[in-house]
Amino acid sequence: MDVILHIGAHRCATTTFQHYLRQNADRLAADGTGFWGPRRTRNGLFRGLLPTPGPATGRDLRRRAVGRVRLNLARTALGGTRRLVVSDENMLGSMRLNLRQAELYPDAGERIARYAEAFDGKISDVMLNIRSPEIWWSSALGYGLTRGFGLPSPVALDWIAHGPRSWRDVIADIGCAVPGARLWVLPFEIFAGRPEAQLEAVTGRPAPNEHSRDWLNATPRLPELREMLPERLARALPGGEGRWTPFTAEQATALRETYADDLMWLAAGADGLAWLMDDPNKKPAGQTLPRPELTRGRRNEQDRRLAGAG
C-alpha cells in the first residue's frame, strides 16, 4: 500500500479537498483508495509524534505514536486499500507559528521528517498546495484577526513582503525530509474548487465528480470580518465589500514577483526536489518521471533498467 500525504497548505482549499474525499469515501474505497482526514489524525492518532511542552511522564510518547500509526497502516492495508490519502494541513505546521514569526512554515522540514519516519517508508507521494503569497498572507492574517492576533504592524508586513523565506524554501525543506517520495506542487490558482482534478492528477485514477463543487472555509470578506471582530478592530479595517488586503501596492508587487520566481524554479525542475503540476491533463512541467499510478515496485524496476542503460 502506498501512502499519499496531502499536507496543505492552509488557506489553499484544503478543507474543501478533505470534505470531497470524506463525502466520496465509499466510491474511492471501491477503487482501492482510502482516506484519513483530520477527524482521524487529530483524534489521537498523531499524538506524541511531535514534541510538545508538558511535564515529564517517563513514557516514550514518540515511540508509542509511531507504533500507533504503523498499526493503523497495517489494518488499512489488510482491508484491501492500495493507496491511502492522508490529508491534514497541520502536518506542515501551524498558522499560529507562521503569524508569530511572519514566515512560511519555518519548521516544515523537521515536522515532515518525523511524520515520514512514522509512516515507515511507505510514503510514495506528497501533495503540497501553494498560493500567491500576497493573497495567502492576507487570508492568513485575516484568520489571525478572528483569533486574537490583532492587526499586523507595518514592520511585520514589510518583513513578510521582503523576507528571505518563500514557497521555494518550504518545498526544499519538504523534499529533503522525504527524499524517497515524489513531491507534487499544485498551485491554488489552478486547482482551487477542483478537488477531483487534484486527486486525479496525483493518483492517476479516475475521480468521482460528486461533491466536487462544495466550497468550505472560504476567506471572509470585509463585511464578514467586521461582524466577527470587536468594534475597535472593525473600525480599523478599510471600507468596501471585497477581500481585506493589508499590503501596500509595493509590498504586494514584491510578493507576486517572489511567487513568479518560485513557479519558474519549479517549472525548470526545482533542483530535482519537486514537480509542478500545472494542469491535470498534462505531464508535470519541467521534468519527466514515471506516472503516479505506477506502484513502487514497478517504479523501482524502471529505475534499474534506466540505470543499466546509462
Side-chain angles (χ1 to χ4, degrees), residues 145 151 221-222 225-226 229 232-239 244:
L145 275 180
L151 289 166
R221 294 308 201 245
L222 280 166
L225 276 177
R226 294 190 196 98
L229 297 177
R232 176 182 60 84
L233 287 177
R235 287 199 308 267
L237 293 177
W244 177 52

Side-chain angles (χ1 to χ4, degrees), residues 206-245:
N209 289 319
E210 289 81 0
H211 302 282
S212 62
R213 295 303 174 261
D214 299 348
W215 190 270
L216 280 70
N217 202 26
T219 301
R221 294 308 201 245
L222 280 166
E224 298 171 86
L225 276 177
R226 294 190 196 98
E227 291 181 2
M228 298 167 66
L229 297 177
E231 185 178 352
R232 176 182 60 84
L233 287 177
R235 287 199 308 267
L237 293 177
E241 303 293 319
R243 187 192 304 273
W244 177 52
T245 53

Side-chain angles (χ1 to χ4, degrees), residues 11-55:
R11 317 313 303 165
C12 291
T14 303
T15 304
T16 298
F17 184 61
Q18 291 160 355
H19 171 79
Y20 165 79
L21 293 173
R22 189 178 302 114
Q23 295 299 317
N24 286 289
D26 291 340
R27 296 181 183 89
L28 294 171
D31 190 48
T33 300
F35 169 57
W36 293 357
R39 294 182 184 180
R40 182 165 187 170
T41 59
R42 300 180 194 177
N43 195 28
L45 179 63
F46 287 164
R47 185 180 299 123
L49 278 181
L50 299 172
T52 56

